Each structure stands twice: as C-alpha cells, then as structure tokens.
C-alpha cells in the first residue's frame, strides 16, 4: 500500500471537489505527522450487506474509496471494483471522511471508542455514523469526537439492501450544519434524500428507532390481516393489492405485504436479529423518558419467537410466517 506523509492544514483546496473545512474557527493540528492513503476521498468502515453497496455507489459516483472490515475477506470483492484497502482504527482509516456501517452499539464502541481511532484521525476529518445505535451512545460518541477534533454526523438510514444497491436510501442526519454539508456529496451518492433533524446527533437515532417501531408494527399488522384472509380461503395476493391501494398505501405495506403473501423471506433485506435490536433500542429510549411502548413490548416478544424458531437469517417479514401458524394464540 502506498502512503503519503504530509501536514494537512485545516483548510485544503481540493480543486473544487469537496472542501475540507473545519467550521468557522481554526482548529489546531495534532502534534504528529498526519497520514492518509494517497488519493482516497472516503473510507467505508464495515463492508457487509449494507456497506458493500454503499461503497459501490460511491465508486460509481467517481470517488476514490477506501474500505476496511474487521474481516478483510468481506472487502475483497470491492477491491475488484477499484476500492483500496484502507488502514484500520490504529491508523485512523486513511481518509478525511469516514463512513461507518456497523451492526450495533458494541461494534461502534469497539472500532471507534475503545480503539486509538479518534486519537490518530486527522483533526478536521469527519466520521459519519450510518448505523442504528442507541441515542445515548450517539451522544457519548459525539462528545468523544469533539474532544479529539473530529467531526461527527449521525446518519442512520431507512431502506434495506436492495434500496442501498439502488442508491435510494433515506438518511436522517444530525450534527453541526457545516459538517453535514461537507459530507453531503458522499451521502448524495447513495441516497434518495437527506432528512436533517438538527445538530444533536442523538435525535437522528431517536427518530430512526421510533421509525423502526412503525415498520415492525406494519409487518405484524399485515401478517395478521393476511392470515385471516388465508385461513378463510381467500386470495391473499388480491387482499394485499386491495389493502395497499386503499387503506394502507405506501412502500412499507406494499413491499412487506407482497413478501408475506408469497412467503418470500430470502434473501433477507433486514433480519429479525437487527429488527429486535432496533425495537429494543426504542423501548430503552422510551423507558429513559418515562414511557412504555405496549406495541414495542409485543413486537420484541414476537421477534424473539421468530429467532427461537430458527429464522435468524431470514427477513424480519418472517413474522408473517409465524402468524400463519398461530393457533389459539400459540406461536409456530
């Protein structure tokens, strides 16, 4: 791997591509020789089911993309498309902008907060966290990044793997306005729209986990409606068409309704493991605010049943299959 060793000021003229600014004031440089991988604009940390298509879309948009995964084998296919193997947390990932697509709080903490990453990332660089994490961790992470002179943007995504592949994700953003604007060209490369919710990163994650309650509720509601029609000898595909054309229009009901009607749960767009994690994050956030979520409690239990039944690698629409086999309130 070829490295450049150079001092990077707070503002660098990048020839009109993406200004690397540090905001209104001057941020002192770290007293060390800063390093970056030659030519890399952005590094994707986490190249799994969602990170890989995000990296592909950035490559298609003409960016020089670095990739890093805790399991290097998961980045090999991207290398064939032109991505560059980036250094890991111990060396600051090698680019001025880092987009992380990690699974949960534990992974984010391991890679960014319990490692030397923030201490060795260039001052004025930016970490965009695309993961759905707890609002409390988002607040902690933002504080730790600020203390290290690294920008932090919370940017959880709505949309599964096919949506990421199509570059049509909806991204909820929160962070300092100027920092969000700096990274917008990268986010635009794989999104349909950005939805700013202010400068407090925790609020992006609050909105995301609240939204996951809505999606899980829609899946369970459609599952129950379809099961009634099916048990009664009706045409479930026609039922879904009627429901989604009249009383429940929209992409969530249409997509999951079709999957449930056709018992089509693979390949998974989003698994019950991740679904339960997100529902439980919403329940925890509600509890912290003195609220109880009756639907959230129910959904967590239903997703736990799906996992116990061996559906961990299928789509969380498999709640529909569980519902099909409920007799007198008993699970499959």
């Amino acid at each position: 791997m070829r490295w450049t060793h150079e001092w990077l000021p707070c503002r660098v003229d990048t020839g009109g591509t993406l200004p690397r600014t540090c905001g209104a004031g001057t941020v002192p440089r770290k007293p060390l020789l800063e390093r970056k991988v030659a030519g890399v604009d952005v590094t994707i940390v986490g190249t799994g089911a969602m990170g890989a298509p995000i990296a592909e879309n950035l490559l298609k948009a003409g960016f020089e993309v670095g990739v890093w995964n805790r399991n290097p084998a998961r980045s090999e296919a991207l290398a064939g498309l032109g991505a560059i193997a980036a250094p890991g947390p111990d060396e600051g990932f090698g680019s001025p902008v880092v987009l992380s697509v990690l699974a949960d709080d534990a992974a984010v903490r391991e890679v960014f907060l319990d490692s030397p990453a923030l201490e060795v990332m260039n001052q004025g660089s930016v970490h965009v966290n695309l993961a759905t994490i707890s609002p409390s961790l988002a607040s902690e992470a933002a504080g730790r990044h600020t203390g290290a002179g690294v920008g932090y943007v919370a940017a959880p995504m709505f949309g599964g793997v096919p949506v990421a592949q199509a570059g049509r994700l909806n991204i909820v953003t929160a962070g300092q306005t100027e920092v969000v604007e700096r990274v917008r060209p990268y986010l635009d490369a794989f999104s349909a729209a950005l939805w700013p919710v202010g400068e407090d990163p925790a609020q992006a994650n609050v909105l995301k986990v609240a939204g996951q309650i809505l999606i899980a509720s829609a899946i369970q509601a459609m599952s129950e409606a379809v099961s009634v029609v099916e048990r009664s000898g009706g045409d479930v595909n026609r039922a879904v068409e009627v429901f989604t054309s009249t009383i429940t229009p929209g992409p969530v009901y249409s997509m999951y309704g079709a999957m449930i009607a056709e018992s089509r749960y693979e390949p998974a767009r989003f698994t019950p493991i991740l679904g339960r994690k997100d529902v439980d994050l919403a329940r925890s956030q509600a509890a912290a605010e003195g609220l109880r979520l009756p639907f959230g409690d129910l959904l967590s239990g239903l997703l736990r049943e799906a996992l116990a039944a061996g559906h961990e690698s299928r789509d969380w629409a498999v709640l529909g299959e569980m519902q099909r086999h409920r007799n007198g309130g008993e699970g499959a």
Side-chain angles (χ1 to χ4, degrees), residues 260-322:
I260 292 164
E262 299 165 14
S263 297
R264 175 168 43 86
Y265 312 116
E266 295 171 339
R269 297 166 180 257
F270 195 74
T271 66
I273 295 173
L274 294 174
R276 187 175 182 225
K277 181 263 292 184
D278 290 354
V279 167
D280 285 348
L281 286 176
R283 294 170 66 219
S284 295
Q285 180 63 23
E289 300 296 340
L291 288 171
R292 179 171 170 264
L293 303 180
F295 274 15
D297 295 342
L298 173 64
L299 291 165
S300 179
L302 294 172
L303 288 162
R304 182 176 63 248
E305 288 180 7
L307 293 172
H311 297 308
E312 65 276 356
S313 62
R314 307 180 88 182
D315 194 274
W316 66 334
V318 78
L319 287 175
E321 200 62 26
M322 299 291 292

Side-chain angles (χ1 to χ4, degrees), residues 41-58:
D41 300 311
V42 57
T43 296
I44 304 299
V45 173
T47 53
M50 292 292 285
I54 286 171
E56 289 183 33
N57 279 303
L58 286 163

